[in-house]
Amino acid sequence: MTIIRTAALLEAALIALLLLLLLLQLRRARTNEASATTAGSMHAGQGAAMPARERFEFLRASTTGATWDCQTQDSPAGPPHSGKGSRFRQSWRQGWRPIRARLAVLSPARVQRSAVCHEPREGPKEARGDTPEASRHAARALQHDESMRRMLALLPFAILMTDPRGRILLANAGAEKLFGYSQDELIGACADALVPGLQWDTGAVRFSRPVGGTHDLFARRKDGSDFPAEITASDASFDGEPLMLTVVIDRTERYELQRNRQELAHLTRVSTLGELASSLAHELNQPLTAILSNAQAAQRFMSTQPINLAEVREILQDLVEDNHRASEVIRRIRTLIKKGELEAAPLSLDHVIGDVALLLHSDAIVRGIRVVLNTDPRLPSVLGDSVQVQQVVLNLLLNAFHATESCPARDRVVVVDATRDGTDMVRVAVRDRGPGLSADKLEQVFKPFVTSKREGLGLGLSISRSIVEMHGGRIWAGNNSDQGATFCFTLPVAAKTEPANTRNPP
Amino acid sequence: MNNTTPTVFVVDDDEAVRRALVRLIRCAGYRAEGFGTAREFLDHDSADDCNACLVLDLQLPDLNGLELQRELNGTGRPLSIVFLTGHGDIPTSVRAMKAGAADFLVKPVNDSDLLSAIEAALERASQALASRIEIEAIYSRIDRLTPREREVLTLVVEGRLNKQMACELGTAEKTIKVHRARVMRKMEAHSLAELVRITDKAGIPHPLLHPPHGAAAVTAS
């Protein structure tokens, strides 16, 4: 009997011990979250049974387009975790795989809502977090966190942690290098000096773009020079203090590349202009001829007795119209060589195509090619940059002309169709009756430096593709069922969509 | 055949240019008519309008200016062409002139330049017309000659003496003299020199003058 009793006693004791341990753990977990103590390390392995304290609970926006309002910090925004038990579970789980979990948490690529909202224990969030005392406290805590600093130092880009008032609490080595300040200079400084324009108070950051919290802004170095940067800002909290974690990536190279592409597009336009020079000169010549002959006829009429005023009046009217025609040609030439930032505006494809056709009018006649334009009159406007869209149409038409070169008279026709494509796109197709393209060339022609012309650079189609894709459309080629090839591109209708990339640096 | 008012046909695909040119040309006292394409002009042109010239653009949508010129040359119509074009390259202008154009002008054109070119072209046209009329008249005169008289004509314009001709043709000198007088009368020539000029204009030697039995080989020398 005694053995059984002892066993039972032992069992009870064991259970009691376990319960005690559990309670202890609970209390500890609660203490972690409630106090702003600096104790505790985040190393894995220390007390395997006791999870290391989880310091950071990131509040991330999802990438599905929801706007994240930081004022709602009090209500859980993710999976409905509530109550201490779940928090304990969370931190236990997190602690069990500390380093990896925390790195994952720090990485800006995380897609899901990872953590639960922190519920402030005493009073409203603003009162708690906004006091300089609390910030300094948090700052000190952060600074003394060795593992944190070491981890941040490893990351190859600049990371800043700021308090709700925009003061830098922590900066990694990357930030020092990028901005040119030393650690001491950065800590306590106002982040506005580094990235002017970004809203620094926690809660005021609005993720307005659906794709994460990324902004393209200009950041400033210590020496005063500005550089284009990609800034990802997220709300975080440290021991209950609200913070903002900012990742700054230098985008000078990408900016230059973008600018180079624009330059190239512009140069291609200018070179096309050169090819069309004699045709354009002829276009201008026609109204000038009409003006001269009309004016001289008027002079003759003025020298007769009596003066035929009706005739002279008619001549003057014609003179004005001829002048307008000449200005139109000049305007179109100017549009072609315009160099500048992209301006997205609603465009009438009818006008765009018409303008290009008029530019090429003389060229078409010289080559003996007939151009037929079929634009659906009810075609909606598209959103885009008129210069660039014109460049695409011009490129496709000139290519069609080139394809028609060796055709007999009845096949010397190029047709341009502009129609709706589904509910939110518009399609433009340029059809020729030339030799067509071999199957492998259908995709290859869009690559740079691929050309069938003797004096061609082979850039037209690749630039056209980058323009169309930048506008949110597609461009492709296909062979006609009877003869020749058709090049099509689509553009989004103006009302519904925004163009994919219109980043206008300040 | 309406010879009183010379006509200028303007063929240019640009409406404003056409209107201005027609206006200017009418102002100068000519009759003017405009066409937008070569086809329109060829279909429309009245065959009996001989006192006319053409102001032609090179760049036309269907047939270009040079091709039209070639076609007109083929039909033998005496239309003088003044080319008026925005593209003034040398090879084209040389080709045009070689093919018989009256002038080659570049746009924009001064009224005095255009009108003097038109004047010259019309002059050429009327000269060509007059020449053609004359030649036809000469041929009709030749038609009046008998075969024997044609033989005599050929030898006379070669400078043969009567007795040489008598010897060659196997007749008496007296007969030759009679033939010669008839030839002079029918050809309406008053001297040997005139006869030579007339036959020259008609382009003799001419197959018409070859004697049907081909006895005397007549060749130009």
Side-chain angles (χ1 to χ4, degrees), chain B residues 19-34:
Chain B
R19 204 164 57 232
L21 289 176
V22 164
R23 187 184 268 141
L24 179 64
I25 294 169
R26 280 192 190 142
C27 206
Y30 301 100
R31 231 188 84 206
E33 234 182 291

Side-chain angles (χ1 to χ4, degrees), chain A residues 165-447:
Chain A
R165 285 171 311 139
R167 289 203 188 283
I168 299 176
L169 298 174
L170 188 74
N172 73 342
E176 283 179 304
K177 205 165 77 158
L178 185 62
F179 289 100
Y181 294 98
S182 72
Q183 269 285 327
D184 303 320
E185 287 174 313
L186 284 173
I187 308 286
C190 195
D192 210 44
L194 269 58
V195 186
L198 186 64
Q199 299 270 44
W200 288 99
D201 356 298
T202 323
V205 172
R206 294 280 176 268
F207 296 107
S208 54
R209 284 174 187 273
V211 200
T214 313
H215 306 250
D216 285 319
L217 294 173
F218 273 79
R220 193 169 294 145
R221 297 194 187 89
K222 179 178 180 179
D223 61 9
S225 59
D226 285 346
F227 64 95
E230 190 177 291
I231 315 236
T232 311
S234 345
D235 287 314
S237 74
F238 177 72
D239 283 352
E241 305 297 327
L243 297 172
M244 192 151 90
L245 181 80
T246 312
V247 180
V248 182
I249 301 182
D250 186 352
R251 282 299 186 209
T252 315
E253 224 175 75
R254 197 177 71 179
Y255 185 59
E256 286 302 320
L257 186 66
Q258 169 80 333
R259 271 239 309 267
N260 283 346
R261 226 184 273 144
Q262 297 278 51
E263 288 268 348
L264 191 62
H266 173 251
L267 279 172
T268 311
R269 285 202 295 279
V270 173
S271 130
T272 308
L273 191 71
E275 281 170 41
L276 295 175
S278 86
S279 306
L280 288 172
H282 189 248
E283 274 301 317
L284 259 181
N285 229 358
Q286 300 282 58
L288 282 178
T289 306
I291 287 172
L292 182 57
S293 298
N294 271 326
Q296 289 181 321
Q299 283 177 319
R300 284 171 180 257
F301 277 118
M302 297 289 282
S303 63
T304 61
Q305 282 300 337
I307 298 177
N308 189 339
L309 277 177
E311 194 72 57
V312 173
R313 224 171 266 133
E314 226 179 270
I315 292 177
L316 286 174
Q317 182 58 38
D318 278 352
L319 279 173
V320 171
E321 270 172 41
D322 293 332
N323 192 293
H324 284 159
R325 262 185 61 197
S327 318
E328 261 301 289
V329 179
I330 304 261
R331 184 186 69 77
R332 277 188 210 111
I333 295 176
R334 278 227 183 95
T335 309
L336 195 62
I337 56 174
K338 191 168 82 163
K339 179 181 179 180
E341 294 300 323
L342 292 182
E343 285 169 27
L347 300 175
S348 153
L349 270 178
D350 196 25
H351 288 163
V352 169
I353 297 176
D355 275 3
V356 176
L358 271 158
L359 259 173
L360 291 179
H361 173 246
S362 285
D363 203 46
I365 290 186
V366 169
R367 301 201 209 202
I369 299 173
R370 203 158 60 92
V371 179
V372 178
L373 304 178
N374 295 329
T375 314
D376 186 348
R378 295 154 308 157
L379 211 60
S381 308
V382 297
L383 193 67
D385 181 277
S386 67
V387 175
Q388 307 245 323
V389 175
Q390 263 192 40
Q391 184 169 358
V392 176
V393 177
L394 184 66
N395 176 236
L396 294 184
L397 272 173
L398 282 175
N399 285 351
F401 284 5
H402 180 68
T404 313
E405 220 149 74
S406 43
C407 286
R410 62 187 162 84
D411 289 334
R412 297 185 87 82
V413 179
V414 170
V415 182
V416 183
D417 293 305
T419 50
R420 275 200 101 121
D421 187 4
T423 45
D424 53 356
M425 297 295 256
V426 167
R427 182 206 297 220
V428 177
V430 178
R431 219 182 326 140
D432 66 74
R433 293 178 66 78
L437 296 159
S438 57
D440 56 321
K441 279 254 178 325
L442 283 176
E443 186 49 39
Q444 224 197 359
V445 282
F446 291 99
K447 294 205 170 61

Side-chain angles (χ1 to χ4, degrees), chain B residues 166-181:
Chain B
C167 192
E168 254 185 73
L169 296 177
T171 52
E173 206 178 316
K174 218 187 337 211
T175 327
I176 295 294
K177 278 195 190 155
V178 168
H179 285 311
R180 193 176 170 138

